[in-house]
Amino acid sequence: TDRDVEVSVRLEAASEGIVVTGRAEAHGSDLCRRCLRPVTGPVAAVIDDVFVHDSADPEAWRIVEAQVDLAPMVREAILLALPAAPLCRPDCPGLGPQCGADLSEGPCGCASYPADDRWSALDALRGRLPDAEACAALPGSREGRRPDRVAGSQ
């Protein structure tokens, strides 16, 4: 169903045109990317853009006959604020890979399928290497780089 969009903006005259700043809030709905359940909730977008009189940029917001149309700008801001991959909950287990059963209701009971042998070398390292958080906590560690190795040094 369509719901209202609440918009609160401030328009300021500037040398390049009209500066629009503010917020837009709406109600969004989509499907969970893992289990396909409906996901609904509020969507808030920050608006910070400019309407111009003349521009070579075909995507610029234009002032037409001394008027600005905020609707396309607000619509774009809301659409860009929607999550790219919504989840019904952060720990959603998704669907069974073979049967499609909802794993949040329990195990699906399908026979596990064999692992791809191409990943066996990485599987052998599982548990033998420290995780990323442990590496970041090491003294002198900076984003996983060793402090004694500097770019350009031998």
Side-chain angles (χ1 to χ4, degrees), residues 52-108:
V52 294
H53 290 284
D54 296 312
S55 175
D57 183 1
E59 294 186 19
W61 302 110
R62 293 209 170 26
I63 300 171
V64 179
E65 297 178 13
Q67 294 184 357
V68 295
D69 183 4
L70 292 173
M73 179 185 285
V74 169
R75 180 179 187 275
E76 180 178 284
I78 292 288
L79 288 173
L80 291 173
L82 289 169
L87 296 174
C88 61
R89 63 180 208 246
D91 63 340
C92 175
L95 302 175
Q98 293 176 334
C99 65
D102 188 350
L103 297 177
S104 65
E105 296 175 1
C108 64

Side-chain angles (χ1 to χ4, degrees), residues 23-144:
R23 292 182 54 86
E25 295 180 8
H27 184 82
S29 63
D30 206 342
L31 297 176
C32 176
R33 72 172 179 175
R34 294 182 186 160
C35 69
L36 302 177
R37 287 182 185 209
V39 177
T40 61
V43 178
V46 174
I47 298 172
D48 186 11
D49 223 325
V50 178
F51 279 89
V52 294
H53 290 284
D54 296 312
S55 175
D57 183 1
E59 294 186 19
W61 302 110
R62 293 209 170 26
I63 300 171
V64 179
E65 297 178 13
Q67 294 184 357
V68 295
D69 183 4
L70 292 173
M73 179 185 285
V74 169
R75 180 179 187 275
E76 180 178 284
I78 292 288
L79 288 173
L80 291 173
L82 289 169
L87 296 174
C88 61
R89 63 180 208 246
D91 63 340
C92 175
L95 302 175
Q98 293 176 334
C99 65
D102 188 350
L103 297 177
S104 65
E105 296 175 1
C108 64
C110 289
S112 62
Y113 50 93
D116 188 334
D117 289 337
R118 295 174 290 182
W119 294 99
S120 62
L122 291 176
D123 284 337
L125 294 175
R126 189 183 314 263
R128 292 179 37 202
L129 297 177
D131 62 6
E133 290 178 13
C135 288
L138 293 174
S141 176
R142 182 177 160 183
E143 299 175 5

